[in-house]
Amino acid sequence: MSVLTLRLAGPLQSWGSSARFARRTTESAPTKSGVIGLLAAAAGMERGDDAALAALSSLRFGVRIDQPGSRVRDFQTAHHAVTGTSMPLSERFYLADAVFVAAVAGETGLLTHLHASLRAPVYPPFLGRRSCPPAQPVELGVRDGDSLHQALADEPWQAAAWYRRQYQGKATVPLTVLREAEEQETDADYQRDQPLSFAAEQRRHALRTVVSRTVTVANPDAVPRQAVRPRHEPLDALEESA
């Protein structure tokens, strides 16, 4: 068992688990469907290949919120290429300046293949939508023998330098982890982002369990406390004692 970790950072991200007509929202963190889609694209998997998708969907998924970002709204419109008529105005939401660490756990050979695919992708990765490219390569590495939770706890803090400044006085920082529940965890919620098919004519998703946990990571920019200098007695007092 191994864990592949990814750094998901860019000017804009959008991780929608549902879309209603002209309104397309985003979750506050990457979805499993979105990250599996990123991995599938990098590996060159075709949309209708449900057998290959099943192997990726069986990976256990988790994400750590290193820098939550802010939600922004955009309005878009388009014209039909044939008729020239205007399409309905659509409302789309994004996360700006967010940074996440995503992780998938599974068989070592598969994760090693996916890691190599991310380094030389067949199709370029994007952060939820094609209009949201990553700011830098997304792969962090493969951790052998770690659990999903442990990998998300051990990965160094990936937030931007300007964001980390507000924590300079703290040696550690608490971060939220959203991951698939273990069998013994009974406080799980459900999210419909377990991909079953990416086929263009009928995309299908199932429910999966999600638990929220907190991990504590080291702050690389922590300012060390100044050593307390000993107080010296006045010179007169030293002369009198002599």
Side-chain angles (χ1 to χ4, degrees):
M1 180 69 67
S2 299
V3 180
L4 171 63
T5 54
L6 316 173
R7 183 181 190 270
L8 305 178
L12 291 175
Q13 306 185 36
S14 187
W15 305 97
S17 61
S18 65
R20 293 292 182 269
F21 302 103
R23 180 181 173 88
R24 298 180 180 270
T25 61
T26 179
E27 300 294 327
S28 59
T31 60
K32 182 174 184 178
S33 177
V35 173
I36 293 299
L38 183 154
L39 294 172
M45 192 191 82
E46 299 300 328
R47 281 192 173 274
D49 192 347
D50 291 347
L53 175 60
L56 298 188
S57 297
S58 65
L59 299 172
R60 299 190 63 251
F61 173 73
V63 62
R64 192 181 75 191
I65 303 175
D66 284 31
Q67 183 176 318
S70 57
R71 196 179 300 264
V72 297
R73 181 172 59 174
D74 183 34
F75 293 96
Q76 299 182 13
T77 188
H79 293 276
H80 196 283
V82 177
T83 65
T85 57
S86 296
M87 305 297 288
L89 184 68
S90 64
E91 184 180 27
R92 306 197 176 199
F93 291 82
Y94 300 86
L95 296 175
D97 295 324
V99 180
F100 305 98
V101 172
V104 289
E107 192 269 325
T108 302
L110 174 58
L111 296 185
T112 301
H113 169 68
L114 292 174
H115 182 240
S117 298
L118 290 171
R119 297 175 67 88
V122 176
Y123 302 110
F126 50 87
L127 306 179
R129 292 187 187 148
R130 291 188 180 90
S131 59
C132 303
Q136 56 187 284
V138 300
E139 81 281 353
L140 288 174
V142 177
R143 293 174 171 267
D144 294 329
D146 279 354
S147 67
L148 183 65
H149 184 86
Q150 192 62 48
L152 289 169
D154 290 346
E155 196 66 52
W157 194 21
Q158 300 295 318
W162 64 265
Y163 181 82
R164 298 197 307 261
R165 292 192 192 103
Q166 62 185 305
Y167 296 94
Q168 284 183 344
K170 298 181 180 180
T172 59
V173 179
L175 301 176
T176 299
V177 165
L178 304 172
R179 60 169 174 79
E180 294 184 18
E182 302 285 352
E183 291 184 2
Q184 69 275 13
E185 293 175 314
T186 60
D187 58 336
D189 291 325
Y190 292 90
Q191 188 167 339
R192 188 175 292 278
D193 65 345
Q194 175 72 22
L196 300 178
S197 176
F198 285 149
E201 62 275 10
Q202 188 180 17
R203 300 183 187 184
R204 294 182 291 117
H205 298 82
L207 292 172
R208 69 179 179 94
T209 59
V210 180
V211 294
S212 177
R213 299 290 184 263
T214 300
V215 296
T216 302
V217 299
N219 181 5
D221 302 325
V223 177
R225 297 181 61 183
Q226 296 293 329
V228 180
R229 297 182 178 180
R231 297 181 60 185
H232 297 288
E233 296 183 11
L235 182 59
D236 293 343
L238 293 176
E239 292 176 348
E240 291 177 0
S241 62

